[in-house]
Each structure stands twice: as structure tokens, then as C-alpha cells.
Amino acid sequence: MSNVESSQNAGEKLRWWLAIGVMIAGVAANLYFVDTYPTIIRVLMVVAGVLVGGFLGYTTPKGKEFARFVRNANIERQKIVWPTKNETIQSTIIVIVMVIVISFFLFMLDTIFSNLVDYFFGR
């Protein structure tokens, strides 16, 4: 590995650690200033830490790869065909009916075995 590659790797690692540190600093500032500043200011501290840290992470090649992954995942999410309200209601009713039927079956099975145990062991 050449010196250029190792310095790029070191720079990339440094940016990742800096990004993580900035995000942690935003959360730590929220906790440290809990009695000093109002909630909105503390929320802005956390948001600023996450935004600055996210930007620093995005400037790395792995950060850009992660952003591309998120975009592709969002594209795939948009391809999902969600059930209609009617289909959801029908599926819910089927599940409820099946739970009741299976519960009754298990109740009957338990009652039968309980009676058999009582019969054979004479309680």
C-alpha cells in the first residue's frame, strides 16, 4: 500500500471518528445543559450534531455508498403494493376467527386430557 492510499485511509477514518464525535457531542450537550437551556435549544443541539456529523460521514467514500444504499432502499420501498382497507379488514377478521377456533380446539383438548388424567389417577 502506498503512502497516498494510507493517508487517504487515515483521513477517512479521522472523518468517521470526527463525525461520530460530533454526534455524541450533540447528545452530550443535550444532557449537560438539561437545566440551563429550554428544550427547543437542546433539541437543536442534537439536530445540529447529527446534521454536522452526518455531513462529515457523507464526505467519505463509505458514507456516499451508504447514502446510495438508502436511496436504493427507498426506491424499493416505493414499489411495495400495500393492501387496501377492505383487504386489511378481511385479513384481520380471518386471523381473529382462526385464533378463536384454535383456542376452542386447545381448550377442548386440554379438557379431555385433564379428564383422562383424573379418571386414570383418581383424584
Side-chain angles (χ1 to χ4, degrees), residues 30 37-47:
N30 175 36
Y37 293 110
T39 304
I40 188 70
I41 300 296
R42 293 190 338 248
V43 167
L44 291 175
M45 288 178 192
V46 173
V47 169

Side-chain angles (χ1 to χ4, degrees), residues 45-65:
M45 288 178 192
V46 173
V47 169
V50 169
L51 288 176
V52 171
F55 176 75
L56 286 172
Y58 179 75
T59 60
T60 65
K62 288 196 183 281
K64 290 183 176 153
E65 183 180 327

Side-chain angles (χ1 to χ4, degrees), residues 29-101:
N30 175 36
L31 297 173
Y32 182 75
F33 295 117
V34 74
D35 293 329
T36 309
Y37 293 110
T39 304
I40 188 70
I41 300 296
R42 293 190 338 248
V43 167
L44 291 175
M45 288 178 192
V46 173
V47 169
V50 169
L51 288 176
V52 171
F55 176 75
L56 286 172
Y58 179 75
T59 60
T60 65
K62 288 196 183 281
K64 290 183 176 153
E65 183 180 327
F66 179 72
R68 188 170 42 255
F69 168 76
V70 170
R71 279 193 299 273
N72 289 338
N74 192 34
I75 290 170
E76 290 299 320
R77 182 194 55 81
Q78 291 172 351
K79 293 178 183 178
I80 295 173
V81 178
W82 296 99
T84 64
K85 181 179 179 180
N86 196 24
E87 290 172 335
T88 304
I89 290 171
Q90 288 175 351
S91 298
T92 304
I93 290 171
I94 288 171
V95 167
I96 290 171
V97 167
M98 289 306 299
V99 166
I100 292 170
V101 167

Side-chain angles (χ1 to χ4, degrees), residues 4-31:
V4 174
E5 288 178 12
S6 66
S7 67
Q8 286 176 346
N9 285 342
E12 183 178 337
K13 286 181 183 178
L14 177 65
R15 281 186 288 187
W16 271 113
W17 283 110
L18 188 60
I20 292 169
V22 168
M23 288 183 192
I24 291 173
V27 173
N30 175 36
L31 297 173

